[in-house]
Amino acid sequence: MPTDVAKANSGAGEVRVAFDQDALARWMEANVAGFAGPLTVEQFNGGQSNPTYKLTTPGAGYVLRRKPPGPLLKGAHDVLREARVLTGLGQTDVPVPPVHGVCDDDGVIGSAFYIMGLVDGRIFWDAGFTEVPKESRAAYYDAMNATIAALHSVDVEKAGLSDYGKPGNYFARQIGRWSKQYLEDELAGRNPDMDALVEWLPTAIPEGDETSVVHGDFRCDNMIFHPTEPRVVAVLDWELSTLGHPLADFAYHAMMYRMPADIVAGIGGEDPVALGLPTEAEYIAAYCKRTGRDSIPNWDFYLAFNFFRLAAIFHGIKGRVLRGTATNAQAKERAEAFPRLAALAREAMEKCK
């Protein structure tokens, strides 16, 4: 991702999606243990769909995630699901921020929200990790690999997440969901590459099935790393999480090897070895070792599926831009990148045939 976009997505400042801050402070005083004002509110510059705020008091820091105001697509922006998965994973080896409070009453600030702890650390927008010395970069990739392997190894029963989604048949359901969302958003328009994928993907699903908790958007810029060490201290942005197929989730993450940096965090077109990073094959092998696999057959299908899925998400961003409900300053650029992403999805599909 270009430096200017990374800067625009970093930090917090002016509140763009306003609400009654006094009402929030009263709610936190009644519902968040240890809360003591006065409360200062800023809005984070990043985040494509759910407005996210930095809350500061003299003694603590918090983060508020809320549904955006206005008409929403059915099932979208369910921040209460985010709060639930964070709570469930809080007692596992997966690093997540602590949840301090959940509110499903739209009357407090205008939409449902939850409060979590503010985790200090670094966010890397560049999947090449060029901000750290070359000899350290492989360790950061290994930290991401260990974190996603830990997520896919969570016992969903013990975590209280056995009903967090529908187990089994994940690809058919996801292909149907994103195809429907794409086709129904008439304002955002149709695309011939997407139309081809909508037709082909249901016919190419590999045999066999697995179920785990999946993040749905596992990228380096959705993680907070330790301030000085190559260690993930918190995974963020669980809006798309559910019970699903772990290989879909891992392939989405590993798509960084094929993704151009100017679309989302990726090193597509770069030589990973020259950057001090493991190769795609080495990265896959490390995940397989951690999760007890010999290999991942049908790898190209998983990539094609994920390029399609991300293209559908960008299509949704395009629709929000046209409706005037997009909350992120870079939403317009994401919307304009949609046709390129759809073309990458189709290219991956053709390699599968």
Side-chain angles (χ1 to χ4, degrees):
M1 179 176 288
T3 303
D4 58 339
V5 177
K7 287 182 179 179
N9 278 276
S10 302
E14 180 183 357
V15 173
R16 304 180 301 279
V17 183
F19 59 87
D20 186 338
Q21 297 182 18
D22 291 336
L24 173 65
R26 290 192 296 270
W27 185 90
M28 291 182 69
E29 188 172 357
N31 294 278
V32 175
F35 173 80
L39 177 66
T40 300
V41 180
E42 298 173 283
Q43 186 168 351
F44 283 105
N45 296 321
Q48 287 294 327
S49 56
N50 290 329
T52 306
Y53 305 82
K54 180 180 181 180
L55 311 180
T56 307
T57 69
Y62 306 91
V63 174
L64 180 151
R65 290 268 284 176
R66 66 174 294 192
K67 287 187 177 184
L72 302 174
L73 292 171
K74 183 181 178 180
H77 311 284
D78 192 348
V79 295
L80 301 186
R81 275 181 57 82
E82 293 183 38
R84 184 184 173 197
V85 74
L86 289 172
T87 301
L89 295 175
Q91 303 302 315
T92 73
D93 292 333
V94 181
V96 293
V99 175
H100 296 303
V102 179
C103 179
D104 61 2
D105 180 2
D106 291 352
V108 178
I109 66 168
S111 62
F113 66 91
Y114 70 94
I115 307 289
M116 61 182 167
L118 179 66
V119 179
D120 291 326
R122 296 169 294 167
I123 293 178
F124 294 96
W125 296 90
D126 171 14
F129 286 81
T130 54
E131 295 176 42
V132 301
K134 181 177 177 179
E135 61 271 17
S136 301
R137 294 171 192 167
Y140 285 84
Y141 264 50
D142 197 57
M144 293 193 295
N145 192 287
T147 302
I148 194 169
L151 173 63
H152 296 161
S153 301
V154 165
D155 186 320
V156 295
E157 295 280 350
K158 289 183 179 179
L161 295 169
S162 57
D163 61 345
Y164 188 62
K166 297 178 181 178
N169 205 29
Y170 176 76
F171 287 106
R173 289 186 288 106
Q174 282 286 301
I175 292 166
R177 172 191 173 182
W178 292 107
S179 296
K180 184 173 184 288
Q181 186 160 311
Y182 159 72
L183 293 170
E184 288 184 349
D185 197 341
E186 296 181 2
L187 184 61
R190 298 286 288 271
N191 174 282
D193 295 330
M194 291 293 285
D195 290 345
L197 283 147
V198 166
E199 181 178 351
W200 174 79
L201 281 167
T203 71
I205 299 172
E207 294 182 0
D209 207 355
E210 302 176 41
T211 299
S212 72
V213 178
V214 296
H215 180 274
D217 198 15
F218 199 91
R219 306 193 314 256
C220 65
D221 51 295
N222 278 337
M223 293 173 238
I224 298 177
F225 288 80
H226 185 276
T228 60
E229 301 172 10
R231 179 161 56 88
V232 179
V233 294
V235 181
L236 307 176
D237 290 346
W238 292 84
E239 180 184 355
L240 298 175
S241 62
T242 187
L243 295 184
H245 201 298
L247 294 183
D249 207 31
F250 177 66
Y252 175 88
H253 169 55
M255 194 167 58
M256 63 189 172
Y257 279 96
R258 315 286 182 94
M259 181 66 69
D262 65 323
I263 297 183
V264 291
I267 57 170
E270 301 283 347
D271 177 7
V273 176
L275 292 173
L277 302 171
T279 64
E280 181 185 74
E282 289 169 340
Y283 199 75
I284 294 170
Y287 173 82
C288 287
K289 183 176 180 180
R290 285 186 164 110
T291 55
R293 303 174 185 275
D294 294 327
S295 63
I296 302 179
N298 305 302
W299 180 244
D300 288 336
F301 166 83
Y302 300 123
L303 289 174
F305 163 77
N306 277 297
F307 273 115
F308 163 78
R309 179 173 164 274
L310 189 59
I313 292 171
F314 273 48
H315 185 261
I317 294 173
K318 179 181 177 181
R320 290 198 294 276
V321 168
L322 294 171
R323 291 181 184 87
T325 60
T327 62
N328 185 272
Q330 279 67 54
K332 185 174 183 292
E333 286 76 8
R334 290 287 173 91
E336 291 172 349
F338 160 70
R340 287 181 59 210
L341 197 52
L344 285 167
R346 185 164 191 168
E347 180 181 336
M349 177 191 79
E350 297 296 341
K351 290 180 180 178
C352 296
K353 292 183 175 179

CSV table of all heavy atoms in Angstrom, one decimal, residues 112-140:
chain,number,residue,atom,x,y,z
A,112,ALA,N,-25.9,0.0,17.5
A,112,ALA,CA,-25.2,-1.0,18.4
A,112,ALA,C,-23.7,-0.7,18.4
A,112,ALA,O,-23.1,-0.3,17.4
A,112,ALA,CB,-25.5,-2.4,18.0
A,113,PHE,N,-23.1,-1.1,19.5
A,113,PHE,CA,-21.6,-0.9,19.6
A,113,PHE,C,-21.0,-1.8,20.7
A,113,PHE,O,-21.7,-2.4,21.5
A,113,PHE,CB,-21.3,0.6,19.9
A,113,PHE,CG,-21.7,1.1,21.3
A,113,PHE,CD1,-20.9,1.0,22.4
A,113,PHE,CD2,-23.0,1.6,21.5
A,113,PHE,CE1,-21.3,1.4,23.7
A,113,PHE,CE2,-23.4,2.0,22.7
A,113,PHE,CZ,-22.5,1.9,23.8
A,114,TYR,N,-19.7,-1.9,20.7
A,114,TYR,CA,-19.0,-2.5,21.8
A,114,TYR,C,-17.7,-1.7,22.1
A,114,TYR,O,-17.2,-1.0,21.3
A,114,TYR,CB,-18.7,-4.0,21.6
A,114,TYR,CG,-17.7,-4.3,20.5
A,114,TYR,CD1,-16.3,-4.5,20.9
A,114,TYR,CD2,-18.0,-4.4,19.2
A,114,TYR,CE1,-15.4,-4.8,19.9
A,114,TYR,CE2,-17.1,-4.8,18.2
A,114,TYR,CZ,-15.7,-4.9,18.6
A,114,TYR,OH,-14.8,-5.3,17.7
A,115,ILE,N,-17.2,-1.9,23.4
A,115,ILE,CA,-16.0,-1.3,23.8
A,115,ILE,C,-15.0,-2.3,24.1
A,115,ILE,O,-15.3,-3.3,24.8
A,115,ILE,CB,-16.3,-0.5,25.2
A,115,ILE,CG1,-17.5,0.4,25.0
A,115,ILE,CG2,-15.0,0.2,25.6
A,115,ILE,CD1,-17.2,1.6,24.2
A,116,MET,N,-13.8,-2.1,23.6
A,116,MET,CA,-12.7,-3.1,23.8
A,116,MET,C,-11.5,-2.3,24.3
A,116,MET,O,-11.4,-1.0,24.2
A,116,MET,CB,-12.3,-3.9,22.6
A,116,MET,CG,-11.9,-3.1,21.4
A,116,MET,SD,-11.6,-4.2,20.0
A,116,MET,CE,-11.5,-3.1,18.6
A,117,GLY,N,-10.5,-3.0,24.8
A,117,GLY,CA,-9.3,-2.3,25.3
A,117,GLY,C,-8.4,-1.8,24.1
A,117,GLY,O,-8.4,-2.4,23.0
A,118,LEU,N,-7.7,-0.7,24.4
A,118,LEU,CA,-6.8,-0.1,23.4
A,118,LEU,C,-5.4,-0.8,23.5
A,118,LEU,O,-4.8,-0.8,24.6
A,118,LEU,CB,-6.6,1.4,23.6
A,118,LEU,CG,-5.7,2.1,22.7
A,118,LEU,CD1,-6.2,2.1,21.2
A,118,LEU,CD2,-5.5,3.5,23.1
A,119,VAL,N,-5.0,-1.5,22.5
A,119,VAL,CA,-3.7,-2.3,22.5
A,119,VAL,C,-2.6,-1.5,21.9
A,119,VAL,O,-2.8,-1.1,20.7
A,119,VAL,CB,-3.9,-3.7,21.8
A,119,VAL,CG1,-2.6,-4.4,21.9
A,119,VAL,CG2,-5.0,-4.5,22.5
A,120,ASP,N,-1.5,-1.3,22.6
A,120,ASP,CA,-0.4,-0.5,22.0
A,120,ASP,C,0.4,-1.4,21.2
A,120,ASP,O,0.6,-2.6,21.5
A,120,ASP,CB,0.5,0.0,23.2
A,120,ASP,CG,-0.2,1.1,23.9
A,120,ASP,OD1,-1.0,1.9,23.3
A,120,ASP,OD2,0.0,1.2,25.2
A,121,GLY,N,1.0,-0.9,20.1
A,121,GLY,CA,1.9,-1.6,19.2
A,121,GLY,C,2.0,-1.0,17.9
A,121,GLY,O,1.6,0.2,17.7
A,122,ARG,N,2.4,-1.8,16.9
A,122,ARG,CA,2.6,-1.3,15.5
A,122,ARG,C,1.7,-2.0,14.5
A,122,ARG,O,1.4,-3.2,14.7
A,122,ARG,CB,4.1,-1.6,15.1
A,122,ARG,CG,5.1,-0.8,15.9
A,122,ARG,CD,6.5,-1.3,15.6
A,122,ARG,NE,6.7,-2.7,16.0
A,122,ARG,CZ,7.7,-3.5,15.7
A,122,ARG,NH1,8.6,-3.1,14.8
A,122,ARG,NH2,7.7,-4.7,16.1
A,123,ILE,N,1.2,-1.3,13.6
A,123,ILE,CA,0.5,-1.9,12.5
A,123,ILE,C,1.3,-1.6,11.2
A,123,ILE,O,1.7,-0.5,10.9
A,123,ILE,CB,-0.9,-1.2,12.3
A,123,ILE,CG1,-1.8,-1.6,13.5
A,123,ILE,CG2,-1.6,-1.7,11.0
A,123,ILE,CD1,-3.2,-1.0,13.5
A,124,PHE,N,1.5,-2.7,10.4
A,124,PHE,CA,2.3,-2.6,9.2
A,124,PHE,C,1.3,-2.7,8.0
A,124,PHE,O,0.6,-3.7,7.8
A,124,PHE,CB,3.3,-3.8,9.1
A,124,PHE,CG,4.3,-3.7,10.1
A,124,PHE,CD1,4.2,-4.5,11.3
A,124,PHE,CD2,5.5,-2.9,10.0
A,124,PHE,CE1,5.2,-4.4,12.3
A,124,PHE,CE2,6.5,-2.9,10.9
A,124,PHE,CZ,6.3,-3.6,12.1
A,125,TRP,N,1.3,-1.6,7.2
A,125,TRP,CA,0.5,-1.6,6.0
A,125,TRP,C,1.2,-2.2,4.8
A,125,TRP,O,0.6,-2.5,3.8
A,125,TRP,CB,0.1,-0.2,5.7
A,125,TRP,CG,-0.8,0.4,6.7
A,125,TRP,CD1,-0.3,1.1,7.9
A,125,TRP,CD2,-2.2,0.4,6.8
A,125,TRP,NE1,-1.4,1.5,8.6
A,125,TRP,CE2,-2.6,1.0,8.0
A,125,TRP,CE3,-3.2,-0.2,6.0
A,125,TRP,CZ2,-3.9,1.2,8.4
A,125,TRP,CZ3,-4.5,-0.1,6.4
A,125,TRP,CH2,-4.8,0.6,7.6
A,126,ASP,N,2.5,-2.4,4.9
A,126,ASP,CA,3.3,-2.9,3.8
A,126,ASP,C,3.6,-4.4,4.1
A,126,ASP,O,4.3,-4.7,5.1
A,126,ASP,CB,4.6,-2.1,3.8
A,126,ASP,CG,5.7,-2.7,2.8
A,126,ASP,OD1,5.3,-3.6,2.0
A,126,ASP,OD2,6.8,-2.3,2.9
A,127,ALA,N,3.1,-5.3,3.3
A,127,ALA,CA,3.2,-6.7,3.5
A,127,ALA,C,4.7,-7.2,3.3
A,127,ALA,O,5.0,-8.3,3.7
A,127,ALA,CB,2.3,-7.5,2.6
A,128,GLY,N,5.5,-6.3,2.8
A,128,GLY,CA,6.9,-6.6,2.7
A,128,GLY,C,7.7,-6.3,4.0
A,128,GLY,O,8.9,-6.7,4.1
A,129,PHE,N,7.0,-5.7,4.9
A,129,PHE,CA,7.6,-5.3,6.2
A,129,PHE,C,8.9,-4.6,6.0
A,129,PHE,O,9.9,-4.8,6.7
A,129,PHE,CB,7.8,-6.6,7.1
A,129,PHE,CG,6.5,-7.1,7.7
A,129,PHE,CD1,5.7,-7.9,6.9
A,129,PHE,CD2,6.2,-6.8,9.0
A,129,PHE,CE1,4.5,-8.4,7.5
A,129,PHE,CE2,4.9,-7.2,9.5
A,129,PHE,CZ,4.1,-8.0,8.7
A,130,THR,N,9.0,-3.7,5.0
A,130,THR,CA,10.2,-3.0,4.7
A,130,THR,C,10.6,-2.0,5.8
A,130,THR,O,11.7,-1.4,5.8
A,130,THR,CB,10.0,-2.2,3.4
A,130,THR,OG1,8.9,-1.4,3.4
A,130,THR,CG2,9.9,-3.2,2.2
A,131,GLU,N,9.7,-1.7,6.8
A,131,GLU,CA,10.0,-0.8,7.9
A,131,GLU,C,11.0,-1.5,8.9
A,131,GLU,O,11.5,-0.7,9.7
A,131,GLU,CB,8.7,-0.4,8.6
A,131,GLU,CG,7.8,0.4,7.8
A,131,GLU,CD,6.5,0.8,8.5
A,131,GLU,OE1,6.6,1.1,9.8
A,131,GLU,OE2,5.4,0.7,8.0
A,132,VAL,N,11.1,-2.8,8.8
A,132,VAL,CA,12.0,-3.5,9.8
A,132,VAL,C,13.2,-4.0,9.0
A,132,VAL,O,13.2,-4.1,7.8
A,132,VAL,CB,11.3,-4.6,10.5
A,132,VAL,CG1,10.1,-4.1,11.3
A,132,VAL,CG2,10.9,-5.7,9.5
A,133,PRO,N,14.3,-4.2,9.7
A,133,PRO,CA,15.5,-4.7,9.0
A,133,PRO,C,15.3,-6.0,8.2
A,133,PRO,O,14.5,-6.8,8.6
A,133,PRO,CB,16.5,-5.0,10.1
A,133,PRO,CG,16.1,-4.1,11.2
A,133,PRO,CD,14.6,-4.0,11.1
A,134,LYS,N,15.9,-6.2,7.1
A,134,LYS,CA,15.7,-7.3,6.2
A,134,LYS,C,15.8,-8.6,7.0
A,134,LYS,O,15.0,-9.6,6.8
A,134,LYS,CB,16.6,-7.3,5.0
A,134,LYS,CG,16.5,-8.4,4.0
A,134,LYS,CD,17.4,-8.2,2.8
A,134,LYS,CE,17.3,-9.4,1.9
A,134,LYS,NZ,18.2,-9.2,0.7
A,135,GLU,N,16.8,-8.7,7.8
A,135,GLU,CA,17.1,-10.0,8.5
A,135,GLU,C,16.0,-10.3,9.6
A,135,GLU,O,15.9,-11.4,10.1
A,135,GLU,CB,18.4,-9.9,9.2
A,135,GLU,CG,18.6,-8.8,10.3
A,135,GLU,CD,19.1,-7.5,9.7
A,135,GLU,OE1,19.0,-7.3,8.5
A,135,GLU,OE2,19.5,-6.7,10.6
A,136,SER,N,15.1,-9.4,9.9
A,136,SER,CA,14.0,-9.6,10.8
A,136,SER,C,12.7,-9.9,10.2
A,136,SER,O,11.8,-10.4,10.9
A,136,SER,CB,13.9,-8.4,11.7
A,136,SER,OG,15.0,-8.1,12.4
A,137,ARG,N,12.6,-9.7,8.9
A,137,ARG,CA,11.3,-9.8,8.3
A,137,ARG,C,10.7,-11.2,8.3
A,137,ARG,O,9.4,-11.3,8.5
A,137,ARG,CB,11.4,-9.3,6.8
A,137,ARG,CG,11.7,-7.8,6.7
A,137,ARG,CD,12.0,-7.3,5.3
A,137,ARG,NE,12.6,-6.0,5.3
A,137,ARG,CZ,13.2,-5.5,4.3
A,137,ARG,NH1,13.2,-6.1,3.1
A,137,ARG,NH2,13.7,-4.3,4.3
A,138,ALA,N,11.5,-12.2,8.1
A,138,ALA,CA,11.0,-13.6,8.1
A,138,ALA,C,10.3,-13.9,9.4
A,138,ALA,O,9.3,-14.6,9.5
A,138,ALA,CB,12.1,-14.6,7.8
A,139,ALA,N,10.8,-13.3,10.5
A,139,ALA,CA,10.3,-13.6,11.8
A,139,ALA,C,8.9,-13.0,12.0
A,139,ALA,O,8.0,-13.6,12.6
A,139,ALA,CB,11.2,-13.0,12.9
A,140,TYR,N,8.6,-11.9,11.3
A,140,TYR,CA,7.3,-11.3,11.3
A,140,TYR,C,6.3,-12.1,10.5
A,140,TYR,O,5.1,-12.3,10.9
A,140,TYR,CB,7.3,-9.9,10.7
A,140,TYR,CG,7.9,-8.9,11.7
A,140,TYR,CD1,9.3,-8.7,11.8
A,140,TYR,CD2,7.1,-8.1,12.6
A,140,TYR,CE1,9.8,-7.8,12.8
A,140,TYR,CE2,7.6,-7.2,13.5
A,140,TYR,CZ,9.0,-7.1,13.6
A,140,TYR,OH,9.5,-6.2,14.5
